Amino acid sequence: DEYNTLSGGEFSVGALLSLWRDRQIDQRRFDLARSRNDLRKAELELLLRQILVQREAAGAYLQWLAAGRELTVYQELLRLADLRQNQFADLVREGALPQITLTENLQAVLRRRALVADAERVLTNRANVLSLYLRDADGSPRVPRPDELPADFPRLPPVDAAGVEAAVAAALQLRPDAALLAVDGQVEADRVRLGENLLKPRVDVGVEAARDVGSGSNTLDGTETVVKLQVSIPVERRTGEGRRAEAQANLNRIRQEQRLIEDR
């Protein structure tokens, strides 16, 4: 008789509310939160890549500076060796020094010329590496010239000893790798909650109102209201317990990695 209606059919509306299981989290809400976390991770990974490129560029610049200073030192040593060779040659002609002295010093001159050649090669290689980060107005790589080397390394600002702890705390808040782990930790914490949710009994309360329209039996006229309480207890618990245990293990691992980053 439930399927008998008036001539115009039956219209019904209802609502179902979860009181225990699926009340705070379910698979759909977990997937939505995870999608948002994936978007946040993509933004952090982009920022991390930018910071790494900046650090690599700074390292390439400092290595180029060091190669230039090294070449300057070897060139100065070669100049002194050449000057001493000329002085020894004058003394040998005057008979003040034996010929062997001139020969031994010539070996030192040749060794220093080899050091200068190696330093020039290193400087060229470091300039080529730096060109990956040094660009012209069109964005093309530009190899720095030796005459562009500054006279000295850049001076770093003094370190405020009183502000070191504040700087470390700020760095922990800004580091993308720490933030990435925090996002992963949030995902695993949600996964733990999702696994625990599968272990809960389902208690749902529902309200439904129905009304027939049209002509027909008087017994079918009027509005019908139904209140339902549905209770189900999960017997199979291994799936929920397994998901919870896996997520908890991943969460513990992430917390250890976070501590390692903070200590580092």
Side-chain angles (χ1 to χ4, degrees):
D1 190 60
E2 182 181 355
Y3 296 100
N4 292 328
T5 67
L6 297 179
S7 61
E10 181 183 84
F11 295 89
S12 64
V13 61
L16 186 67
L17 178 64
S18 298
L19 299 182
W20 201 336
R21 181 175 176 177
D22 293 344
R23 184 171 66 90
Q24 295 180 340
I25 189 172
D26 56 14
Q27 188 64 47
R28 289 180 297 177
R29 279 179 282 183
F30 172 78
D31 292 340
L32 178 60
R34 183 172 184 178
S35 298
R36 291 172 177 168
N37 287 326
D38 288 342
L39 177 60
R40 175 59 178 162
K41 286 184 63 177
E43 296 172 348
L44 291 171
E45 288 172 353
L46 175 60
L47 178 59
L48 180 60
R49 175 53 53 188
Q50 293 173 342
I51 293 176
L52 290 177
V53 169
Q54 291 178 359
R55 187 177 67 178
E56 292 172 357
Y61 177 69
L62 293 176
Q63 289 179 350
W64 178 67
L65 291 185
R69 292 299 303 277
E70 188 175 2
L71 176 59
T72 301
V73 171
Y74 286 138
Q75 288 174 338
E76 178 63 18
L77 292 175
L78 177 59
R79 187 188 67 81
L80 294 175
D82 286 335
L83 178 60
R84 186 166 55 182
Q85 182 72 3
N86 295 331
Q87 294 173 348
F88 283 172
D90 293 339
L91 294 175
V92 168
R93 282 194 299 268
E94 295 174 359
L97 289 176
Q99 181 67 32
I100 188 63
T101 304
L102 190 62
T103 303
E104 292 176 349
N105 189 73
L106 179 59
Q107 295 176 355
V109 172
L110 295 177
R111 285 195 300 267
R112 293 185 180 183
R113 285 179 181 173
L115 291 175
V116 170
D118 289 341
E120 290 175 344
R121 176 182 54 81
V122 171
L123 179 61
T124 301
N125 291 337
R126 299 286 171 79
N128 289 330
V129 173
L130 182 57
S131 68
L132 296 175
Y133 310 98
L134 183 62
R135 305 285 173 146
D136 58 17
D138 298 331
S140 301
R142 184 177 72 83
V143 180
R145 302 185 308 273
D147 58 1
E148 293 182 292
L149 282 165
D152 201 350
F153 284 91
R155 293 187 176 274
L156 298 178
V159 178
D160 182 11
V164 170
E165 293 185 1
V168 171
L172 289 176
Q173 296 294 326
L174 295 175
R175 285 182 64 95
D177 49 356
L180 280 170
L181 282 178
V183 174
D184 288 338
Q186 182 60 52
V187 172
E188 294 303 328
D190 291 342
R191 201 187 302 276
V192 170
R193 294 171 55 214
L194 185 62
E196 293 174 345
N197 179 70
L198 295 176
L199 302 175
K200 296 178 180 179
R202 179 178 294 279
V203 180
D204 298 334
V205 60
V207 179
E208 182 179 333
R211 183 180 181 88
D212 289 13
V213 294
S215 59
S217 173
N218 292 333
T219 60
L220 299 176
D221 196 9
T223 301
E224 181 183 39
T225 303
V226 179
V227 178
K228 302 178 181 180
L229 181 64
Q230 302 176 354
V231 179
S232 61
I233 300 176
V235 177
E236 175 58 59
R237 300 175 58 87
R238 288 182 297 180
T239 300
E241 291 176 351
R243 291 184 179 180
R244 180 181 62 180
E246 179 186 7
Q248 186 63 53
N250 291 332
L251 184 59
N252 293 338
R253 172 184 56 81
I254 291 172
R255 288 172 178 171
Q256 294 299 326
E257 292 179 0
Q258 286 178 312
R259 181 177 179 181
L260 179 61
I261 285 182
E262 292 176 1
D263 294 342
R264 185 179 299 163

